[in-house]
């Protein structure tokens, strides 16, 4: 046994516990839900494998910007958090279980592979994450804006987006004669 694997504590050995994994992804549990932490390069393979195990429905794909929360503590040991994260929600209706996948996305290379080939219903949520956060989904059939006008500059849900740059014009409420 190596020094890293065990320590002596009053004559008994405390063995280091290997982190739980599922199909190569780190596993945590939060709020009764299984959460998988997957590398970007392994995302499509993982989701395809999970689909084969009954996770037939992708209920959501969303982006998260952790710019103001860089020291978050909900990551498994050894996993370094990035500014952005893509969160995927999957359902297994047979077993009535829900699974969440979290993928760390670096600010300097803000892209992940698209899940549209596995879950065609991911098309619109991936476009929304692109539109609001600027996270690109490689292989997406139509990676264009979905909520903002095509000529919109920036991504409104990024924490460093200048939200006050468009002045709001207020006009008096219309009155109706009785």
């Amino acid at each position: 046994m190596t020094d890293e694997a065990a320590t002596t504590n009053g004559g008994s050995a405390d063995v280091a516990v290997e982190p739980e994994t599922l199909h190569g992804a780190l596993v945590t549990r939060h709020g009764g839900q299984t959460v998988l932490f997957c590398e970007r390069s392994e995302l499509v393979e993982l989701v395809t494998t999970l689909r084969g195990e009954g996770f037939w429905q992708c209920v959501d794909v969303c982006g998260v910007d952790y710019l103001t929360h860089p020291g978050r503590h909900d990551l498994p040991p050894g996993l370094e958090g990035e500014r952005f994260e893509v969160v995927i929600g999957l359902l297994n209706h047979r077993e009535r279980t829900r699974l969440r996948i979290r993928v760390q996305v670096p600010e300097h290379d803000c892209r992940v592979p698209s899940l549209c080939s596995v879950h065609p219903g991911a098309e619109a949520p991936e476009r929304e994450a692109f539109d609001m956060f600027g996270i690109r989904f490689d292989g997406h059939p139509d990676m264009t804006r979905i909520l903002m006008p095509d000529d919109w500059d920036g991504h409104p849900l990024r924490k460093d987006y200048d939200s006050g740059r468009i002045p709001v014009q207020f006009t008096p409420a219309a009155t109706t004669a009785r």
Side-chain angles (χ1 to χ4, degrees):
M1 212 176 285
T2 65
D3 290 340
E4 294 82 28
T7 59
T8 303
N9 184 10
S12 65
D14 295 329
V15 178
V17 178
E18 287 294 317
E20 181 183 359
T21 61
L22 179 64
H23 304 299
L26 291 170
V27 176
T28 63
R29 310 237 187 272
H30 184 69
Q33 191 174 116
T34 301
V35 182
L36 303 180
F37 292 85
C38 175
E39 295 292 328
R40 293 185 291 174
S41 61
E42 299 167 1
L43 178 61
V44 175
E45 182 181 347
L46 175 63
V47 171
T48 302
T49 300
L50 291 169
R51 183 177 176 93
E53 293 179 352
F55 287 92
W56 297 332
Q57 185 177 7
C58 177
V59 291
D60 197 15
V61 177
C62 61
V64 181
D65 183 354
Y66 285 103
L67 180 66
T68 57
H69 299 287
R72 58 192 187 275
H73 300 287
D74 60 344
L75 297 174
L79 184 64
E80 200 62 40
E82 296 287 351
R83 174 177 174 183
F84 295 103
E85 186 173 87
V86 170
V87 181
I88 298 121
L90 301 175
L91 285 180
N92 181 327
H93 292 277
R94 259 191 331 227
E95 296 178 13
R96 297 181 180 179
T97 56
R98 186 178 291 264
L99 185 80
R100 193 168 12 153
I101 301 172
R102 293 173 57 184
V103 181
Q104 301 303 304
V105 183
E107 182 176 10
H108 68 279
D109 185 20
C110 214
R111 55 183 57 242
V112 295
S114 174
L115 298 177
C116 289
S117 63
V118 182
H119 290 287
E123 188 266 341
E126 287 181 355
R127 285 179 63 194
E128 183 178 338
F130 164 69
D131 199 2
M132 297 289 104
F133 293 96
I135 300 169
R136 289 197 152 286
F137 290 83
D138 294 336
H140 190 282
D142 183 23
M143 187 79 320
T144 57
R145 289 193 179 272
I146 192 169
L147 299 172
M148 305 303 290
D150 290 337
D151 61 347
W152 192 267
D153 186 30
H155 305 282
L157 292 182
R158 284 189 171 197
K159 302 284 188 192
D160 55 359
Y161 183 76
D162 187 11
S163 61
R165 68 180 182 176
I166 299 174
V168 177
Q169 298 293 335
F170 292 99
T171 58
T175 58
T176 56
R178 289 190 180 195

